[in-house]
Amino acid sequence: MPSAAHRGPLPAFARTIVVGAGLAGLELVDELARQGGDDILLIEAGGADDLRHVNVAHDARTALRLWLDSRTDPAFTRPWTSLTPPHYGGSSGMRRRLGGRGLYWYGVTLPIEPWALAEPWWPRAVVRDLTESWRGGPSLYERVGERLHTWTHRHAPGSAPAPRPPETHVGALHLRPTPMARRLASDGGWYAYSALDDWRDPLTGTWRAAPRGVRLLTATEATHVLVRDGRACGVSVERRDGAPQEIAAEQVVLCAGTLQSSGLALQALHDAGADGPVELHGLADHIVQGVFLRLADEQAQRLNQVLPTGSYYAPCAPGARSNLFVDVHGEEPDGSVVVEIRAMGEQLDQDSSRVSCTPGERRPWPLAVRSRPSDADRVLLRSQREAITECYRQLCGAVGLKERALDFSDYEDPGRGNDFALPENLATARPGEPVTWCNQLGTEDHEGGTLPLGGVLDDRHEFRAVPGLYAAGPATFPRLGAANPTLTTLALAHRLAALLAERTGSTTRQNRSR
């Protein structure tokens, strides 16, 4: 266990404070320390009782339940009110623990598509750094991709790289193996990449050490950013058993997840004198729907010849703003095989989706979320259903199964969510009978867009209205695209780490010259 996270007085100062120890916060701190940053304080509201990925710490069924049935996860919390249920209700929430959602992540590493990662939405400098060249060398996507490849294939006792299925066709549909940063444990579990692997043993959770120059506080909530003379100068924190305390800093970075970071940002913008309502627009999540299909006997055997066990993907037609995924799960005890076809797409026309705060004496201020599918999103839903139906049709033809009509429910009031994948629900699916499902907004846990680069933030990740305050994670994406956000989150964390290291070094040199 990281003893520094639990004992001793709180520090009075840190050069850099990073709020939130999920994928973005950990990667940022790890890379900033690697680039020579020092006196970094990482603050996490959750605990550090178990530092393993859920699919290492638990059997497959328990891990799946912790993810899909959030009520069973002690780390789950929802620190906001949904004004538009069922969206951002149900299983939508945070995982307050050191490692955050990264300890539930499935490891998918797709880049944002060129139709979304482009001007005028994204700043040209950011697009260039991600896709073309970073500081005269390979692009950030290339650099981080190589880092993840090295991590996946490194020699590590007790685990091995997860095998990739072959590229294949199902009828006219071209399917590629889904790129993943994932390793298999020798006991049958698996885990996805996290910067925590440099800090602890991923199989046992045994703590090693934080990087040099990094201090860690867990079970400590940052209630608000300190703003003086219009500039961020630290944070106010509360431990579960203590009074509020201020910690000064030269720079503060918000990495607490899109909604939590948005709440902290709204308070800071208000304290800095920003005019207008206490709200942020642009909130978006991925829109996801799909179908489960159980195959048995001859159809299951044919499926194994066409699509071996594994995860596959294919981009949908450009106008659909979606990717299609086909996951073939391992053989069930009765010999049947479950196939999942799903489409993941970009929520768009986001002006009606927003995060707001109600000012009051106690911090943090109450947080509320408003989000519904737009007219453009309803067009996307129809396009996704066409893509899913066509994939299902091709699959039926490949395995010799009689095709049935797919009955998609109302996205605003669905009969089934992706929790249908829980064993007791999936067991009710009869061989050959397709079962459709869809997620509501906020339940895919890919929300972003409230603190966009080139908008609320400049292209150096700093708040235009609050100097000294920065943000990382999907909240900074001007558009989500259809891809899982993690590869871009990691790449932008590396970009911000370099910028902060430069700024810190410059400040240090200035101070020494006085």
Side-chain angles (χ1 to χ4, degrees):
M1 287 299 168
S3 59
H6 296 283
R7 293 196 294 269
L10 293 172
F13 173 83
R15 188 183 302 277
T16 302
I17 292 178
V18 177
V19 179
L23 272 166
L26 287 167
E27 191 73 16
L28 173 66
V29 167
D30 203 55
E31 184 63 17
L32 180 56
R34 186 176 290 111
Q35 296 197 28
D38 64 349
D39 196 15
I40 306 164
L41 180 63
L42 177 59
I43 301 175
E44 167 57 42
D49 298 326
D50 192 340
L51 303 179
R52 297 171 295 171
H53 193 283
V54 291
N55 281 278
V56 166
H58 305 280
D59 62 84
R61 289 194 170 199
T62 302
L64 184 64
R65 186 172 300 281
L66 286 167
W67 180 238
L68 296 179
D69 185 2
S70 55
R71 297 167 300 178
T72 64
D73 186 1
F76 177 83
T77 183
R78 189 190 308 127
W80 62 79
T81 299
S82 172
L83 303 179
T84 50
H87 306 297
Y88 287 91
S91 62
S92 175
M94 305 294 298
R95 309 288 172 147
R96 282 192 167 178
R97 56 185 298 199
L98 182 59
R101 290 175 181 167
L103 299 183
Y104 305 74
W105 177 46
Y106 273 58
V108 177
T109 56
L110 286 169
I112 294 179
E113 302 76 16
W115 49 261
L117 186 62
E119 297 179 279
W121 302 285
W122 287 77
R124 172 61 188 150
V126 179
V127 176
R128 181 189 62 240
D129 293 343
L130 284 171
T131 64
E132 298 174 16
S133 176
W134 167 242
R135 303 194 165 185
S139 71
L140 284 166
Y141 272 157
E142 291 175 297
R143 290 171 188 253
V144 174
E146 180 59 32
R147 175 183 173 93
L148 295 177
H149 180 270
T150 299
W151 174 89
T152 301
H153 294 278
R154 78 192 193 288
H155 174 70
S159 64
R164 287 166 59 90
E167 190 168 322
T168 187
H169 287 78
V170 175
L173 184 63
H174 178 200
L175 293 176
R176 298 163 239 186
T178 304
M180 290 188 177
R182 185 193 286 191
R183 291 180 62 84
L184 299 181
S186 57
D187 64 358
W190 60 267
Y191 58 100
Y193 169 83
S194 170
L196 267 184
D197 284 358
D198 292 336
W199 309 28
R200 56 85 168 105
D201 186 297
L203 297 178
T204 66
T206 302
W207 183 255
R208 293 168 178 162
R212 183 177 179 180
V214 176
R215 289 176 288 173
L216 174 63
L217 293 174
T218 63
T220 305
E221 182 177 10
T223 60
H224 61 280
V225 176
L226 302 175
V227 178
R228 295 195 177 96
D229 299 324
R231 182 179 185 83
C233 60
V235 297
S236 180
V237 301
E238 286 187 16
R239 280 182 164 170
R240 293 174 184 173
D241 55 353
Q245 180 173 324
E246 295 185 353
I247 305 176
E250 293 179 1
Q251 51 198 13
V252 177
V253 189
L254 303 181
C255 300
T258 291
L259 293 172
Q260 286 292 86
S261 289
S262 297
L264 292 168
L266 282 167
Q267 294 177 137
L269 291 166
H270 179 273
D271 293 344
D275 296 327
V278 187
E279 63 183 22
L280 290 166
H281 291 245
L283 178 65
D285 192 19
H286 279 131
I287 295 174
V288 187
Q289 55 184 330
V291 59
F292 285 105
L293 178 65
R294 182 183 297 277
L295 298 175
D297 303 326
E298 186 176 347
Q299 280 82 27
Q301 295 175 19
R302 289 182 181 176
L303 176 70
N304 186 55
Q305 298 172 359
V306 176
L307 278 180
T309 299
S311 179
Y312 306 82
Y313 87 101
C316 295
R321 307 195 317 272
S322 299
N323 287 318
L324 190 71
F325 293 90
V326 180
D327 289 337
V328 181
H329 301 282
E331 187 175 290
E332 299 284 316
D334 62 0
S336 65
V337 176
V338 173
V339 184
E340 179 187 359
I341 304 169
R342 72 184 185 281
M344 176 185 293
E346 178 191 49
Q347 183 186 1
L348 204 57
D349 287 357
Q350 307 150 9
D351 285 346
S352 61
S353 294
R354 66 194 70 174
V355 182
S356 60
C357 279
T358 303
E361 291 185 7
R362 179 161 178 78
R363 306 288 184 110
W365 292 339
L367 193 63
V369 178
R370 182 184 301 274
S371 187
R372 288 192 188 282
S374 66
D375 290 341
D377 296 333
R378 293 185 179 88
V379 173
L380 175 141
L381 284 164
R382 290 194 294 271
S383 298
Q384 285 186 342
R385 291 171 182 180
E386 292 171 1
I388 292 167
T389 300
E390 179 58 26
C391 181
Y392 166 68
R393 182 179 296 119
Q394 298 283 350
L395 184 62
C396 286
V399 302
L401 181 68
K402 182 179 179 181
E403 183 184 337
R404 302 176 186 234
L406 299 185
D407 181 21
F408 291 97
S409 59
D410 182 1
Y411 186 76
E412 294 281 0
D413 186 23
R416 289 175 294 271
N418 70 344
D419 58 353
F420 189 80
L422 290 170
E424 65 271 20
N425 298 329
L426 204 54
T428 65
R430 298 177 180 178
E433 294 186 5
V435 181
T436 61
W437 60 272
C438 60
N439 274 0
Q440 286 70 62
L441 299 173
T443 58
E444 192 61 25
D445 290 340
H446 290 176
E447 64 273 4
T450 53
L451 305 171
L453 289 158
V456 176
L457 309 180
D458 63 23
D459 63 8
R460 295 176 66 84
H461 306 250
E462 189 172 20
F463 281 73
R464 296 182 189 275
V466 191
L469 183 62
Y470 300 79
T476 69
F477 294 9
R479 282 189 67 173
L480 287 184
N484 178 293
T486 305
L487 178 63
T488 306
T489 294
L490 298 177
L492 290 178
H494 283 235
R495 185 177 191 269
L496 176 54
L499 295 172
L500 292 175
E502 284 181 350
R503 182 179 184 276
T504 301
S506 175
T507 302
T508 301
R509 287 191 295 271
Q510 290 174 9
N511 290 338
R512 287 175 178 171
S513 66
R514 290 174 183 172

